[in-house]
Amino acid sequence: MQILLGILAFLVGVAVWSWRLRMAREGAREAADMARTAANLPRRLTFKYRAGRNGLDLIDDPREAAAIMMMEVARARGGPLTDRQSDVISEEIIRHFSFKLDDAHELVAHAAWVTNKAPLPQETMRRLSHMIMADKYLGPKEVVDLDSMLVAVSEAEGAPTRDQLSLLQVFRDKAGLRT
């Protein structure tokens, strides 16, 4: 009888340990999937660009919204986007979003493409500002950081124009920032 109880205890022990190992393996797999998803975000944004997904309603990432907002501020200066403006947008993306240079350039290209098909700049800023303010993961620091990013883009070619200041004010009004 003791031998049977010993064998049964051994089998139960093996079953418990195999269950615990399986649960640990699933947890590690989930963590790896989450890391892979975060690492592939720039590629996913590129895929959305290449697949023809556009429109403000399809934007679900605050970083993408911020890049589009910076592009709108740059274009509000009038005329085509300059190399200096593009470089400032890329620098801000790299600094604040921790993107690599190639990924930042892809996001800038994506933002330029989206703004070509976006509604008027005032409406675009209003809708994207609302989306950013509604994001539960963004706090006051991120909102102030975005404001500084928009200001940096507006000052890329010198003093901001009246149209650029108007777009900055749209964001600041939605964000509750005082000027």
Side-chain angles (χ1 to χ4, degrees):
M1 187 64 161
Q2 290 178 346
I3 294 175
L4 287 175
L5 284 176
I7 291 173
L8 183 61
F10 176 75
L11 291 175
V12 168
V14 168
V16 167
W17 278 104
S18 73
W19 176 76
R20 291 183 75 185
L21 287 173
R22 187 174 68 233
M23 295 309 288
R25 190 173 37 241
E26 286 178 20
R29 190 175 298 129
E30 278 187 39
D33 287 344
M34 289 173 60
R36 210 173 298 115
T37 299
N40 287 332
L41 178 67
R43 281 188 208 71
R44 191 172 55 114
L45 292 175
T46 302
F47 175 76
K48 284 180 12 181
Y49 165 71
R50 290 185 181 141
R53 283 188 72 188
N54 63 350
L56 298 180
D57 294 332
L58 298 176
I59 295 171
D60 57 357
D61 188 328
R63 295 175 290 189
E64 184 180 8
I68 293 167
M69 292 170 76
M70 286 188 284
M71 186 61 66
E72 287 289 2
V73 168
R75 288 188 170 185
R77 185 165 200 82
L81 184 71
T82 66
D83 289 338
R84 178 71 188 134
Q85 289 171 321
S86 179
D87 290 343
V88 168
I89 294 172
S90 294
E91 290 167 9
E92 294 296 321
I93 289 171
I94 290 168
R95 182 179 310 120
H96 292 281
F97 304 156
S98 301
F99 277 26
K100 294 179 183 163
L101 183 62
D102 291 340
D103 295 333
H105 288 312
E106 287 180 14
L107 185 55
V108 169
H110 174 68
W113 187 73
V114 169
T115 56
N116 283 336
K117 301 194 183 283
L120 295 174
Q122 297 279 346
E123 177 62 21
T124 299
M125 288 295 281
R126 202 171 290 109
R127 288 171 64 183
L128 294 177
S129 297
H130 177 71
M131 187 199 96
I132 285 178
M133 296 312 298
D135 192 300
K136 63 184 177 184
Y137 296 111
L138 298 179
K141 180 194 179 309
E142 289 81 10
V143 172
V144 171
D145 285 348
L146 178 55
D147 184 59
S148 70
M149 294 165 70
L150 295 172
V151 168
V153 171
S154 72
E155 295 172 347
E157 293 291 335
T161 65
R162 183 180 310 263
D163 290 337
Q164 287 176 315
L165 292 173
S166 173
L167 290 180
L168 287 172
Q169 194 60 46
V170 168
F171 171 70
R172 289 174 175 164
D173 288 345
K174 282 285 189 184
L177 299 174
R178 293 185 182 227
T179 54

